[in-house]
Amino acid sequence: MKPLSDFNFDLIVLGTGSAGQNVATSCREKGWSVAIIDPRPFGGTCSQRGCDPKRVLAGAAELIARSRNLTGKGIQSENAIDWSELMAFKNTFTEGIPKSTEEKFEQAGIRYFHGTASFADKRTITVGEHTLIGGKILIATGARPATLGIDGEELLLHSDDFLDLESLPDTIAFIGGGYISFEFAHIAAEAGAKVHVIHNDDKPLKNFDPDLVEALVDRMKKIGITFHLNAKTTKLSRSGGGFLLEGTQNATPLRLECGAVVHGAGRTPNIDELNLERGEIDFDKKGVTVNEYLRSTSNPDVYAAGDVSGSPGPSLTPVAGLEARSVAANLLQADSSKPNYTAIPSIAFTYPMLASVGMSEAQAKDSGRDIKVNHVDMSTWYTYKRMGEQPSRAKVILDKADGRILGAHILNGEAEHLINYFTIAMRHGLTAPQLSDTLFAYPTDGSDVQYLLEM
């Protein structure tokens, strides 16, 4: 690769995660000249530092919880997690991704650059000693941990660090009450650590149903997780071989001695080093400002997709893929595709799992519709009783006028499957009677769906 030279490309992609890869590959297949840039190991967050490795660890924690549910019911004793063995297993899913991604680009004829990209003008990108000129540019740089502004913030571990811990501290604290903190807290607790979760108000997991969140918090307390709600962290300092976390809870001083403190208090669009102003690209706290076709509102040659986009889509990997498909279509045929954000499910991979799709109960009530809310305790149902699942609950919101499913919220060990049935129905316009009429294999979680849809 020639240093200190200009390269001209039909498309320059910033970021090698799922969105960047999909668009780069799609355009290259149509004969475009494509360059792709990333300062971090190629492959993106989800596959290396997020969803996929997290789920490996969460799967082990789930196994421990399921085993405990049946202890004394035919299972003689609980299993236990060997952290170093678990991390070694996790690494088998992540360690080869950067190299294989590079090889994928080489085989496709995509020029790749390791380094930090920066706009020099509307169509020019600098990376290291190279200057690249693009006919079109896609920003798909994802998100980074939000800055918390606490004294000693540099001592915090981030989610990347937690997923690479060689050994698990005896005591660990998670700042923030979102799904990252909840998932990691559950993993750590099931692996034997004493766990604290510090959240700045009284309503954690705000994007999920509050009744089911309350039930999940109660369950997590039973495995030894301590929740500090209405708490604020103000300072982190070294103390002996660990750390001292200081703050307040309900105006009372809070002090915790911990082996590690993990940032789980949200992420923000990863745009700080891009010099978007030089590219004449508008942005705000949600990310790059885009229109309905994911094109920059201020620079028509620039698109954005995934967590860095200021689109209406939530920051989830399937949404990055959805937006990438639209961007690719719009690059190849201008203004031909708008992302369909109908019925996007989300799951907190704790145990029990907490899943949600569509409207919350509050949103449905505020919509002015005549609604029916089926809030069901399923813990005595055969499907869940046989696995000792406590709690097992669901809340399904229906429109009385036309039978539409407005929202579904589930808390149990089968939530990852159940939520997808509702998502299919909602995305494709199936009514509650139509979904209820569907025959599922028995006895499975699907065969219970009809009882959640009573009009």
Side-chain angles (χ1 to χ4, degrees):
M1 196 174 289
K2 301 176 183 179
L4 300 173
S5 291
D6 288 348
F7 294 91
N8 288 274
F9 296 92
D10 295 321
L11 172 67
I12 300 172
V13 176
L14 312 184
T16 59
S18 58
Q21 286 191 51
N22 288 344
V23 175
T25 302
S26 296
C27 290
R28 180 63 191 138
E29 287 174 350
K30 296 299 183 181
W32 286 36
S33 58
V34 179
I36 195 163
I37 306 168
D38 203 324
R40 302 196 70 174
F42 284 3
T45 295
C46 183
S47 63
Q48 299 178 90
R49 305 177 294 274
C51 328
D52 292 354
K54 170 200 72 182
R55 190 71 201 278
V56 174
L57 304 189
E62 177 185 341
L63 179 62
I64 300 300
R66 287 185 180 273
S67 173
R68 183 171 55 250
N69 286 347
L70 292 177
T71 300
K73 300 180 177 71
I75 301 298
Q76 291 187 352
S77 61
E78 295 181 31
N79 293 302
I81 288 176
D82 182 305
W83 188 261
S84 61
E85 288 184 358
L86 178 58
M87 295 303 283
F89 179 54
K90 182 271 298 181
N91 289 340
T92 65
F93 293 86
T94 59
E95 58 193 1
I97 288 174
K99 182 179 179 181
S100 65
T101 305
E102 238 178 60
E103 291 172 348
K104 173 184 174 182
F105 294 152
E106 288 179 357
Q107 292 168 4
I110 296 170
R111 297 294 299 271
Y112 58 84
F113 298 82
H114 292 277
T116 300
S118 177
F119 279 85
D121 61 34
K122 292 180 69 172
R123 293 177 51 221
T124 303
I125 299 292
T126 60
V127 52
E129 298 180 325
H130 304 289
T131 300
L132 316 182
I133 299 173
K136 303 294 182 182
I137 298 172
L138 168 66
I139 302 173
T141 50
R144 62 169 179 79
T147 301
L148 302 184
I150 65 175
D151 188 10
E153 185 162 357
E154 70 280 0
L155 300 176
L156 287 172
L157 298 183
H158 294 156
S159 57
D160 312 28
D161 304 312
F162 178 82
L163 291 169
D164 279 334
L165 281 175
E166 294 183 359
S167 60
L168 185 67
D170 292 336
T171 303
I172 186 166
F174 297 89
I175 297 177
Y179 72 92
I180 293 175
S181 285
F182 268 66
E183 290 171 339
F184 287 174
H186 181 258
I187 292 166
E190 294 290 15
K194 182 174 177 57
V195 177
H196 298 267
V197 175
I198 298 105
H199 186 52
N200 61 6
D201 64 30
D202 61 349
K203 298 185 185 303
L205 290 176
K206 288 185 178 179
N207 292 328
F208 292 88
D209 180 84
D211 293 325
L212 302 191
V213 170
E214 183 179 359
L216 175 60
V217 168
D218 287 344
R219 181 63 176 176
M220 294 177 75
K221 287 178 179 178
K222 290 177 181 177
I223 64 171
I225 298 173
T226 302
F227 287 86
H228 304 271
L229 303 181
N230 294 312
K232 182 179 180 181
T233 302
T234 56
K235 183 178 180 181
L236 184 63
S237 57
R238 296 189 183 278
S239 176
F243 302 91
L244 172 63
L245 182 153
E246 298 178 75
T248 58
Q249 182 176 10
N250 294 317
T252 301
L254 174 67
R255 292 168 60 89
L256 296 173
E257 293 277 356
C258 305
V261 182
V262 180
H263 181 329
R267 295 170 69 83
T268 191
N270 187 21
I271 57 177
D272 291 355
E273 297 180 307
L274 296 181
N275 282 321
L276 295 181
E277 296 88 347
R278 293 182 185 176
E280 299 182 27
I281 300 164
D282 290 343
F283 62 94
D284 57 25
K285 65 180 181 179
K286 291 180 61 180
V288 176
T289 307
V290 294
N291 65 14
E292 57 193 343
Y293 299 102
L294 301 172
R295 186 197 297 261
S296 165
T297 56
S298 56
N299 183 342
D301 292 323
V302 172
Y303 291 77
D307 293 0
V308 76
S309 166
S311 71
S315 297
L316 298 168
T317 296
V319 173
L322 172 73
E323 294 187 345
R325 292 191 291 275
S326 283
V327 168
N330 292 329
L331 286 167
L332 297 169
Q333 184 178 347
D335 294 349
S336 60
S337 177
K338 302 176 185 177
N340 177 8
Y341 297 112
T342 302
I344 297 172
S346 59
I347 303 176
F349 287 101
T350 51
Y351 186 85
M353 300 174 203
L354 179 60
S356 176
V357 65
M359 288 185 181
S360 67
E361 182 178 359
Q363 289 171 332
K365 288 178 178 177
D366 290 344
S367 72
R369 294 176 172 88
D370 186 11
I371 65 170
K372 184 171 190 282
V373 179
N374 293 334
H375 188 180
V376 184
D377 182 349
M378 300 183 290
S379 57
T380 60
W381 294 12
Y382 169 80
T383 303
Y384 308 102
K385 182 178 179 180
R386 72 181 179 86
M387 296 302 293
E389 290 198 12
Q390 294 268 358
S392 178
R393 292 169 59 176
K395 183 180 289 188
V396 178
I397 304 159
L398 308 174
D399 190 325
K400 289 183 180 180
D402 56 13
R404 288 173 57 204
I405 304 167
L406 301 178
H409 310 274
I410 301 161
L411 176 68
N412 60 37
E414 310 305 323
E416 61 178 328
H417 306 301
L418 286 168
I419 204 66
N420 286 330
Y421 305 147
F422 288 103
T423 299
I424 291 169
M426 293 169 65
R427 191 167 179 86
H428 297 285
L430 294 178
T431 64
Q434 288 172 324
L435 180 58
S436 182
D437 188 54
T438 303
L439 294 182
F440 292 93
Y442 179 86
T444 66
D445 52 9
S447 63
D448 292 330
V449 167
Q450 59 183 310
Y451 304 113
L452 301 174
L453 294 167
E454 295 179 354
M455 293 294 298

